Amino acid sequence: MANESFPEIREAVRRLCARFPGPYWRALDRERAYPTEFVRALTEAGFLSVLIPEDYGGSGLGLSAGAAVLEEIHRSGGNGGACHAQMYTMGVVLRHGSPAQKAAYLPKIASGELRLQAFGVTEPDAGTDTTRITTFAKKVGGSYVVNGRKLWISRAEHSDLMVLLCRTTPRDEAAKPSDGMSVLLVDLRDAVGNGLTITPVRTMLNHATTELAFEDLEVPAANLIGAEGQGFRYILDGMNAERILIAAECIGDAKFFIDRAGAYAKDREVFGRPIGANQGVQFPIARAYVQMTAAEHMVGHAAALFEAGQPCGTEANMAKLAASEASWFAADMCLQTHGGFGFAEEFDIERKFRETRLYQVAPISTNLILSHVATHVLDLPKSF
């Protein structure tokens, strides 16, 4: 599209992704394997460090540039879920880490020497009610001793570092529910086998998600990010960035489905003419394009607010909802357009269909976004 932002970045990402076509992703999907070569190529090209300031070896660009990278990965038929956390999780260290922490970790993250791709927040019994997490870090001498469980933690097996949210004050002893949580930077290379057990969770898509069990894991007190007890506030910015970046991935998915459906509808002939000549086929494709375009503008607006340092929680949530619904509509439309061929592995439709369905559930469900808008924007009474 002529009006796309960051055209040079987009073109470079497209060229890189062309080296990793459908058969590459299909093989990984069958084996539930991690795209090591793809992530290495992205890292070497500098695309995973676009948000890291130049002083620390990155490109120093804004969130919109990161969104452009991830959108193009998804439009190409790939999946940025293998590495997108490195963009938004890094921000917790950048914005709230000490000068020593930033100097120690950010250059190595930018160069690819270290991977920071795991974000330990969700728990089995807390879900998206983050204030009810129970994983606890007790200060003992010069360390925090961590006990508890986390679930749906992606890429823990393929990351060197993890940003971990845990309680340092019990919920019932905190001034308010969101107080008393702290952020620790966990070195997974040292933690596994020394108090941390990682168990893979097999799902309907290849997302490298896991369950984590902490049993007296010792984390150096020097790995505390920011002030003790203020961790919930620190991760909020990361959550907004996460939702905007994932919304951009959904835009990429929607474009993938629209591209594939349009091309197929023009080439596939039934009853002596292209199926795209039938309004019953072309109207859903056109509607998918309209919905994607509207969502794309919402994503751009949310990203601009984030980059300007303005409050953007509502906009980030709405962008994620609009984009995830646009991608899911486009996915269903594309599968229907292809008919039986849409279910065949070789067309990549069924894989992308499964992958894009995730985003109405994670990282926050559609219903919780609607609840946020209802109570925080429309001033409707809370239901919980």
Side-chain angles (χ1 to χ4, degrees):
M1 296 173 63
N3 62 344
E4 284 180 330
S5 60
F6 304 100
E8 296 87 358
I9 290 177
R10 289 177 184 273
E11 178 57 31
V13 175
R14 289 168 189 157
R15 288 197 304 269
L16 186 151
C17 289
R19 294 156 44 193
F20 301 91
Y24 172 81
W25 294 99
R26 292 196 292 272
L28 293 171
D29 187 64
R30 286 191 293 270
E31 300 298 325
R32 292 296 192 264
Y34 185 78
T36 301
E37 300 85 359
F38 177 69
V39 174
R40 183 181 298 121
L42 282 176
T43 303
E44 291 173 353
F47 292 127
L48 291 188
S49 60
V50 292
L51 306 185
I52 295 177
E54 292 181 274
D55 289 348
Y56 297 107
S59 301
L61 298 177
L63 194 69
S64 296
V69 170
L70 293 174
E71 179 191 315
E72 292 301 330
I73 291 172
H74 279 247
R75 187 174 188 175
S76 77
N79 192 287
C83 48
H84 58 200
Q86 190 141 309
M87 292 187 180
Y88 58 80
T89 308
M90 172 280 303
V92 178
V93 180
L94 175 63
R95 285 186 292 273
H96 305 291
S98 68
Q101 288 171 333
K102 288 187 279 191
Y105 294 110
L106 292 179
K108 293 181 179 180
I109 294 170
S111 70
E113 184 178 342
L114 290 176
R115 286 183 181 173
L116 174 56
Q117 297 179 5
F119 197 35
V121 176
T122 308
E123 297 187 3
D125 299 322
T128 47
D129 187 357
T130 305
T131 67
R132 295 191 182 276
I133 65 169
T134 57
T135 295
F136 200 87
K138 181 179 180 181
K139 186 74 174 296
V140 180
S143 299
Y144 285 95
V145 179
V146 182
N147 285 279
R149 293 170 64 205
K150 296 287 182 181
L151 185 61
W152 312 125
I153 310 305
S154 299
R155 297 164 300 276
E157 294 177 290
H158 307 284
S159 186
D160 299 311
L161 304 171
M162 174 174 63
V163 167
L164 176 68
L165 183 70
C166 48
R167 281 214 163 269
T168 44
T169 301
R171 188 176 190 269
D172 57 4
E173 295 179 16
K176 55 183 181 179
S178 59
D179 288 347
M181 288 182 277
S182 301
V183 173
L184 298 175
L185 190 62
V186 177
D187 191 323
L188 295 170
R189 298 167 299 176
D190 296 333
V192 174
N194 293 301
L196 172 61
T197 301
I198 302 177
T199 304
V201 178
R202 189 174 175 90
T203 64
M204 68 183 284
L205 65 157
N206 183 24
H207 207 67
T209 197
T210 64
E211 181 176 9
L212 310 181
F214 301 91
E215 296 182 18
D216 294 331
L217 172 67
E218 293 189 21
V219 179
N223 286 28
L224 174 71
I225 297 178
E228 185 175 290
Q230 300 299 308
F232 184 74
R233 178 170 64 86
Y234 298 158
I235 67 167
L236 286 181
D237 272 350
M239 287 181 170
N240 288 334
E242 175 188 40
R243 287 163 194 177
I244 294 168
L245 290 171
I246 285 177
E249 294 181 352
C250 290
I251 297 300
D253 280 346
K255 290 181 179 181
F256 168 88
F257 291 120
I258 293 166
D259 291 344
R260 292 294 181 96
Y264 187 79
K266 285 185 284 188
D267 292 340
R268 174 66 166 165
E269 290 191 2
V270 178
F271 302 118
R273 64 177 183 176
I275 63 173
N278 300 309
Q279 291 181 343
V281 173
Q282 64 179 226
F283 281 9
I285 301 174
R287 184 176 293 277
Y289 180 82
V290 172
Q291 292 182 357
M292 176 278 296
T293 303
E296 186 175 30
H297 284 292
M298 186 71 236
V299 175
H301 175 57
L305 289 175
F306 185 93
E307 290 173 340
Q310 299 295 315
C312 64
T314 295
E315 290 78 9
N317 275 306
M318 292 196 298
K320 190 265 181 182
L321 183 148
S324 65
E325 293 197 337
S327 68
W328 180 237
F329 179 87
D332 189 62
M333 171 278 297
C334 187
L335 187 66
Q336 191 71 21
T337 300
H338 281 75
F341 288 108
F343 292 87
E345 268 191 0
E346 66 181 283
F347 279 71
D348 292 307
I349 306 301
E350 62 86 25
R351 172 178 59 84
K352 295 287 286 181
F353 182 93
R354 287 182 281 113
E355 290 174 356
T356 209
R357 182 59 181 86
L358 170 67
Y359 294 131
Q360 288 191 62
V361 174
I364 184 172
S365 75
T366 296
N367 282 348
L368 280 174
I369 294 175
L370 293 172
S371 176
H372 170 90
V373 173
T375 57
H376 289 76
V377 179
L378 304 178
D379 198 30
L380 293 170
K382 288 188 174 183
S383 60
F384 57 87

